[in-house]
Amino acid sequence: MPKRILAYGRLSDDQLAELARDFEVDVFERLDSANDSAFRTALKGAHGLIGSSLAITSDLLDEAPELEVIASISVGYDNYPVDELTRRGILLCNTPDVLTETTADTGFALIMATARRVVELAEFVKRGDWQTSIGEAQFGSDVHGKTLGMIGFGRIGAAVARRGALGFGMKVRYSNASPKTELEKELGAERRELDELLAEADFVCVTVPLTPETHHLIGAREFGLMKRSACFVNIARGKVVDEAALIGALETGEIRAAGLDVFEQEPLSPESPLPHMANVVALPHIGSATHETRNAMAQRAVDNITRALKGQRPISPVNAEAWPTTQDE
Ligand code: DGY
């Protein structure tokens, strides 16, 4: 009997056909919640799950006694109970590397858009408000030569910093649990305590993963430490930032602008003032959303789940310790 996979993420026809060569595949299109009854029924016989964005809970895992592997089509895995998966011997895999450059492009687009007020001024033209030559009221601020403060200096953080340092002559400061000496040499980056970085940076860009330690890492106190001219960019996870405090800081001019790809609640609540604020550029979590990169992420997930279910070590396991030692290559 072939092993059974439930696919609830975007996979191309070729990728589905590839999986179907070795496995029985049930496709769940537009699965908005794990409470979908057909999905829950199918969980009983599932050996693998492939998809993204679904919050996986212990309850759900109780209904999937055969489950061996979850291949997430994402690099972030804050929606999975990793320790619980490990305890149950269920392998979780993610898709690092293939989305690094694309997500960094999104971060840099937000840096540029906030500094030069791209969206606000495009709207100004669209409304027909461009009646005379523009003046100081429409001026933005330079990006080149400024100080870029990276909160988190992993793969994506480093890729944003590389754009800033090598493309725009920016000074790079970073706060990170451990020093990154190679990047310091490559980019002239200097490590700072978080508070120092916040006070020094013209652009503050968040790229840390969401963990219990980083939940609301940036709140009212931290916005208070930033320059009033600072632009704040978040391409990590919405919950790393206390959104009410961010709204307050933008309203009172404690910081100048924010470029946001992620929010505490996604999709963003219609009640949120953020997309209506002139000094905010709000995007619908598009970090890795290009045709090329989403396809590469899906392919990585297909490769991970295929390898794991065939007893081979997957390319990017999150909890490699769940890998049965008897199967280790
Ligand atoms: C990720 O892969 O974690 C990105 O945020 C897209 O979800």
Side-chain angles (χ1 to χ4, degrees), residues 206-221:
V206 183
T207 62
V208 284
L210 175 64
T211 64
E213 292 73 40
T214 63
H215 183 264
H216 283 194
L217 177 70
I218 306 298
R221 193 189 77 83

Side-chain angles (χ1 to χ4, degrees), residues 111-119 121 138 140-143 256:
I111 289 172
M112 295 298 291
T114 49
R116 301 301 305 272
R117 302 168 57 183
V118 171
V119 175
L121 295 177
Q138 284 79 39
S141 50
D142 281 340
V143 173
R256 186 169 82 64

Side-chain angles (χ1 to χ4, degrees), residues 116-136:
R116 301 301 305 272
R117 302 168 57 183
V118 171
V119 175
E120 179 193 350
L121 295 177
E123 289 297 324
F124 170 85
V125 175
K126 221 182 258 179
R127 279 196 310 270
D129 287 348
W130 187 22
Q131 304 285 345
T132 55
S133 302
I134 59 119
E136 278 200 37

